[in-house]
Amino acid sequence: MQAKLIEIQHQATEDLKKAQSVEKAEQIRVKYLGRKGLVNELIGKIPTLPLDQRASFGQLANKVKNELQQSFSEAIQQLSAVKTESFEEEFFDISLPGIRPPYGHKHPIVQTIDEIKEIFSKLGFAVAYGPEVETEYYNFEALNIPPDHPSRDDFDTFYLDDDVLLRSQTSTVQIHIMQKQSPPIRIIAPGKVFRPDTIDARHSSMFHQIEGLMVDEGVSFSDLKSVLTIFAMAFFGKDIKMRFRPSFFPFTEPSAEVDISCSICGGKGCSVCKGSGWVEILGAGMVDPNVFKAVGYDSEKYTGFAFGMGVERIAMLKHGIDDIRLFFENDLRFLSQF
Ligand code: DAH
């Protein structure tokens, strides 16, 4: 059995010399040194040897195993070095594109705000911002919503303190701007608003609004209509139809809710417009004289219009999105489509 072992070692060394690749060397290693390889096969026969020969054969077998193991590691190391060298020399193609890092882009809500800003900037509107934490005065009182006014319920509010709150509407920015500037005023004010609504497919406790305000001598309801019509056609497409429904807001008089023909079904009726063919996109109206009084404007001299729209709602209508939560879940499968 000793002679047989030596012969196996010799044979393994010869085979290994002929191996041209790591894969081949590995195959040969398994053949000789693997769990069911030729060396182990012989070792398995030790119990058949006479007692006095077993120990010395065991030692020899271990020695052979170690030597072979050593040769295989060296050979495999050498072969893999050769492989990378020649691969680099022969195949390195400097014209191959590199590994591209994944690019991010603006969030669809920011994209929508940008698009709306651009449309209004062509109509001469500047962009204004106001604080997200407000007092009751800016969120309500100056906007003609006194403490006991029932319409305060419509603007359900997160209070931080008795008088301090997270704004529930961007109409607050009207007041900040009019306190600082005199007419003429032409601004839009995008930003976050907060309401303690139960979150579902149409409600979120944080969402975005864009407020608009134009004040000057002789501004009329027809100016409001034309500005909003130009906006809707620029944003949703020339075929869009608009309608103004009489409504109530404390800070505008008269007030209107503005609908567009459903951009999903083209007005035929679908689940988004609940079969009516129309969807509401914003509230608007002529600035109430009481609001002018709060900021010290002369309501005999100046008139103005205001409007407010929900950005998520408008983005949903434009892209046919049926769940507002998609905007806030940070799921790249959704976001990367924009
Ligand atoms: N602030 C109102 C809201 O949050 C939206 C709104 C309606 C704004 C009419 C206006 C307006 O400026 O004239 O629901």
Side-chain angles (χ1 to χ4, degrees):
M1 251 168 66
Q2 286 197 0
K4 176 94 177 138
L5 185 60
I6 301 297
E7 195 198 314
I8 286 174
Q9 179 174 26
H10 180 71
Q11 192 56 51
T13 315
E14 287 302 305
D15 282 1
L16 187 57
K17 274 189 204 151
K18 288 183 213 136
Q20 300 274 14
S21 68
V22 176
E23 289 75 21
K24 191 72 204 164
E26 188 57 34
Q27 269 173 19
I28 299 168
R29 193 188 68 75
V30 171
K31 177 177 168 197
Y32 289 96
L33 289 182
R35 205 156 48 81
K36 294 182 179 160
L38 293 175
V39 174
N40 274 340
E41 197 182 316
L42 266 193
I43 291 175
K45 286 187 184 148
I46 289 181
T48 64
L49 286 175
L51 258 184
D52 59 345
Q53 287 178 24
R54 290 183 194 175
S56 64
F57 182 81
Q59 275 166 12
L60 180 67
N62 268 337
K63 184 168 161 274
V64 167
K65 244 180 146 172
N66 286 338
E67 282 170 9
L68 279 179
Q69 191 58 54
Q70 180 72 18
S71 318
F72 276 109
S73 326
E74 278 165 21
I76 285 172
Q77 212 169 5
Q78 269 175 16
L79 286 168
S80 58
V82 167
K83 183 179 171 185
T84 37
E85 262 169 39
S86 63
F87 178 80
E88 274 173 15
E89 269 169 34
E90 287 168 32
F91 296 111
F92 187 68
D93 176 356
I94 56 162
S95 71
L96 278 176
I99 298 164
R100 286 177 197 274
Y103 289 128
H105 60 64
K106 285 183 182 171
H107 189 279
I109 290 302
V110 177
Q111 287 182 33
T112 307
I113 292 174
D114 283 352
E115 206 178 322
I116 296 171
K117 281 201 291 204
E118 189 160 328
I119 295 169
F120 279 101
S121 83
K122 288 181 184 154
L123 295 169
F125 284 74
V127 179
Y129 297 96
E132 289 167 7
V133 177
E134 283 285 11
T135 57
E136 287 199 311
Y137 180 77
Y138 285 96
N139 205 71
F140 296 122
E141 271 153 62
L143 288 162
N144 197 32
I145 321 179
D148 54 348
H149 199 286
S151 75
R152 271 209 190 182
D153 299 345
D154 297 341
F155 301 91
D156 236 5
T157 309
F158 281 116
Y159 277 88
L160 302 175
D161 210 333
D162 268 359
D163 182 40
V164 185
L165 47 82
L166 296 179
R167 70 176 175 195
S168 57
Q169 47 180 343
T170 45
S171 305
T172 52
V173 186
Q174 289 187 32
I175 307 301
H176 287 288
I177 293 297
M178 287 194 281
Q179 281 178 339
K180 279 191 242 132
Q181 299 173 25
S182 341
I185 287 187
R186 221 187 275 199
I187 53 129
I188 56 164
K192 294 185 173 66
V193 298
F194 306 85
R195 293 182 191 181
D197 284 330
T198 306
I199 295 166
D200 61 22
R202 304 178 128 244
H203 297 91
S204 164
S205 46
M206 186 283 297
F207 58 99
H208 298 75
Q209 283 187 334
I210 295 186
E211 186 79 9
L213 176 69
M214 175 166 172
V215 183
D216 203 347
E217 289 180 45
V219 174
S220 69
F221 203 97
S222 62
D223 295 317
L224 171 62
K225 270 192 111 167
S226 60
V227 164
L228 291 180
T229 306
I230 289 168
F231 159 71
M233 286 168 72
F235 189 81
F236 290 106
K238 288 216 169 6
D239 298 331
I240 214 81
K241 287 199 221 38
M242 271 189 122
R243 72 177 184 188
F244 286 63
R245 277 181 292 111
S247 183
F248 172 79
F249 295 101
F251 29 86
T252 42
E253 181 60 36
S255 303
E257 277 173 300
V258 178
D259 300 338
I260 55 165
S261 50
C262 180
S263 53
I264 306 297
C265 64
K268 286 191 209 80
C270 67
S271 65
V272 172
C273 60
K274 300 204 188 76
S276 75
W278 295 95
V279 282
E280 186 197 321
I281 57 161
L282 53 84
M286 300 307 290
V287 180
D288 193 292
N290 282 341
V291 176
F292 282 152
K293 201 161 132 200
V295 296
Y297 278 14
D298 179 354
S299 60
E300 293 300 317
K301 186 168 176 198
Y302 297 113
T303 50
F305 65 73
F307 58 86
M309 57 181 116
V311 179
E312 282 77 3
R313 180 167 175 77
I314 285 196
M316 287 165 82
L317 287 173
K318 178 152 179 164
H319 300 292
I321 299 162
D322 59 5
D323 195 324
I324 193 171
R325 290 169 291 197
L326 287 165
F327 290 121
F328 307 121
E329 284 167 347
N330 218 12
D331 185 337
L332 290 181
R333 290 171 303 180
F334 172 73
L335 295 175
S336 59
Q337 295 177 53
F338 295 89

